[in-house]
Amino acid sequence: MENRPLIIQRLIARPEFGPFVLLVIELAVFWGINPDFLSPQNISNILAFTVELGLIALAMTLLMTSGEFDLSVGSLFGFSPVLMWTLFNGGVTSLEAGFIIALLVAAFIGLVNGWFVTQLKIPSFLVTLGMLLVVRGTALFVTSGFPQRTWSAEGSWLAEALVGDFFIGPFRIYMSLFWFIAAAIALGYVLTQSRTGNWIQAAGGNPNAARARGVNVSGVKIGLFILSSIMASLAGVISSLRTSAANPNSGTGYELEVIAMVVIGGTALTGGRGTIVGTVLGILILRVMRNGIVLIGVPGLAYNIFIGAIILGMMALHSWLERRHQAGT
């Protein structure tokens, strides 16, 4: 019995505790105002939209833990499906080959980002901001600013594997949800249970000390930039196949929303500490917020107000819990 207060104290001190409490409060408030909020149809809609930004946020968690940012993910979200459909509609490749090429191009963009940051020592904020403009500009130039014509991908094994849907009772589930869950489990294991995870945290916490211990800090960061770009590309393709649309402006503003999800979840802005569980909670918090405020009649344009308030509140909470933890109280 004497250990119970200590266990509770440790639980409260965890960075995931605050986001978990906030998510529960959100669910209770929206459900109390509008019982349809927890209807099977609405839950299915929340999960469908959660996956796409969630995939980017999972990779961003590892990158931010290493002490870097990637502002180009939103532009890649829009560019990759445009590239895939352009190749397919022009008869250059099959849809599946176009998908592989889109991922490879994204990986190259991530490699360039990582090289500029680690070899030229340019802050990742500036490098990826520049890449955001290059990638978005390329997508707009290729399409003349208009949505790319898409054909139905029905019957394609790629579409079935990524966004095939089925029903579990009244719930409509997309295959992309399983890709998200698999990515969360895999990256959570990498970050907390593997040697690579130790390297990532060391690179973000004290890169000079990490190098002194033999960690290839540059290699770790380049690999994470590549992962971030690939996940953004995959998310964009999944969204395109699900909605049968490829707009060069898709993903505008997503980079900041993804960073907000990661920060709300408890990953340190300064690097050195990250949590995949917290990020999953952060993803759900913002997607539930976006869905809930519309469902209860709040204008959707007010969404950013709520995001800003949540970020400020969660940062204050994380700071308070960190001080208490360091003080041992």
Side-chain angles (χ1 to χ4, degrees), residues 120-185:
L120 300 185
K121 309 300 180 186
I122 304 174
S124 57
F125 177 86
L126 297 176
V127 171
T128 57
L129 177 60
M131 187 61 75
L132 180 158
L133 297 174
V134 170
V135 173
R136 182 73 70 193
T138 302
L140 290 169
F141 177 77
V142 168
T143 62
S144 298
F146 293 100
Q148 178 69 13
R149 178 170 56 92
T150 62
W151 293 348
S152 173
E154 186 177 353
S156 165
W157 69 264
L158 176 65
E160 289 298 319
L162 293 180
V163 296
D165 63 317
F166 57 91
F167 283 86
I168 299 180
F171 296 95
R172 186 181 187 183
I173 305 296
Y174 288 93
M175 286 299 297
S176 54
L177 178 62
F178 296 99
W179 288 105
F180 172 75
I181 293 172
I185 293 172

Side-chain angles (χ1 to χ4, degrees), residues 42-169:
N42 195 52
I43 292 175
S44 299
N45 289 336
I46 291 174
L47 291 177
F49 286 105
T50 294
V51 165
E52 290 152 16
L53 275 181
L55 287 169
I56 309 175
L58 293 176
M60 188 72 79
T61 301
L62 271 63
L63 185 61
M64 288 177 60
T65 302
S66 75
E68 306 294 347
F69 293 90
D70 188 351
L71 299 181
S72 67
V73 290
S75 60
L76 271 167
F77 183 95
F79 172 74
S80 290
V82 164
L83 175 59
M84 181 185 75
W85 285 105
T86 297
L87 293 172
F88 177 62
N89 289 337
V92 179
T93 68
S94 65
L95 187 65
E96 293 77 12
F99 169 66
I100 297 299
I101 291 172
L103 292 186
L104 291 175
V105 171
F108 176 74
I109 290 171
L111 175 63
V112 172
N113 283 338
W115 187 84
F116 269 81
V117 170
T118 59
Q119 304 304 312
L120 300 185
K121 309 300 180 186
I122 304 174
S124 57
F125 177 86
L126 297 176
V127 171
T128 57
L129 177 60
M131 187 61 75
L132 180 158
L133 297 174
V134 170
V135 173
R136 182 73 70 193
T138 302
L140 290 169
F141 177 77
V142 168
T143 62
S144 298
F146 293 100
Q148 178 69 13
R149 178 170 56 92
T150 62
W151 293 348
S152 173
E154 186 177 353
S156 165
W157 69 264
L158 176 65
E160 289 298 319
L162 293 180
V163 296
D165 63 317
F166 57 91
F167 283 86
I168 299 180

Side-chain angles (χ1 to χ4, degrees), residues 64-67 198-210 270-273:
M64 288 177 60
T65 302
S66 75
N198 292 333
W199 294 345
I200 293 170
Q201 295 178 65
N206 192 330
N208 291 329
T270 53
R273 186 190 71 218

Side-chain angles (χ1 to χ4, degrees), residues 21-38 288-289 291-293 295-298 306:
V21 172
L22 178 57
L23 179 60
V24 171
I25 293 173
E26 264 191 1
L27 293 171
V29 169
F30 288 137
W31 181 52
I33 296 174
N34 188 340
D36 288 337
F37 174 73
L38 291 183
V288 165
M289 177 63 71
N291 175 274
I293 63 173
L295 206 62
I296 65 175
V298 177
F306 288 91

